[in-house]
């Protein structure tokens, strides 16, 4: 949606914008000047489809991700909630605008 369009504006000429999710459900719009005049390329990526097509590569990919997480090179901020007793609080957290963390139900 709009965030992908803003990101496209920051790219150098000839770069590629890869969309792998859509929180708002709105289509990515890039002005024609970005595509024609600046040579930007926009494409989508589905991890689920990639994993289905590359089953033998999945274990290595997960191992690589685990190493990056363990080395603190990538991370996901999350807040844990107990499914049986804190479900309402978890839903309120997930629906609150501006939250930068994921909700993990255990």
């Amino acid at each position: 949606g709009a965030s992908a369009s803003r990101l496209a504006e920051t790219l150098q000429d000839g770069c590629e914008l890869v969309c792998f999710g859509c929180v708002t459900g709105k289509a990515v719009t890039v002005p024609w000047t970005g595509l024609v005049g600046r040579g930007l390329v926009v494409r989508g990526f589905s991890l689920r489809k990639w994993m289905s097509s590359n089953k033998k590569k999945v274990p290595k990919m997960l191992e690589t991700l685990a190493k990056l997480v363990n080395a603190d090179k990538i991370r996901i901020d999350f807040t844990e909630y107990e499914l049986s007793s804190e479900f309402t609080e978890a839903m309120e957290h997930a629906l609150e605008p501006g939250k930068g963390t994921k909700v993990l139900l255990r």
Side-chain angles (χ1 to χ4, degrees):
S3 61
S5 299
R6 287 191 304 273
L7 183 58
E9 292 174 9
T10 68
L11 296 175
Q12 291 182 342
D13 291 0
C15 285
E16 183 175 49
L17 174 66
V18 179
C19 299
F20 58 90
C22 185
V23 175
T24 65
K26 296 185 177 167
V28 175
T29 55
V30 178
W32 70 270
T33 53
L35 298 173
V36 176
R38 297 184 48 223
L40 298 180
V41 175
V42 180
R43 70 178 184 92
F45 174 77
S46 168
L47 180 60
R48 182 174 290 145
K49 186 175 178 180
W50 182 89
M51 289 175 75
S52 293
S53 301
N54 295 277
K55 291 183 186 204
K56 290 183 178 180
K57 293 181 180 180
V58 171
K60 178 67 175 168
M61 186 244 338
L62 293 174
E63 179 184 330
T64 300
L65 284 172
K67 287 178 181 177
L68 290 169
V69 168
N70 289 336
D72 250 353
K73 300 214 176 198
I74 60 172
R75 68 179 204 167
I76 297 173
D77 292 325
F78 64 92
T79 303
E80 289 188 50
Y81 292 93
E82 182 65 41
L83 177 61
S84 61
S85 62
E86 299 178 304
F87 183 77
T88 302
E89 292 89 344
M91 287 302 294
E92 289 172 356
H93 177 128
L95 295 172
E96 191 174 323
K99 281 284 187 189
T101 61
K102 303 292 181 190
V103 171
L104 177 66
L105 296 171
R106 53 172 199 261

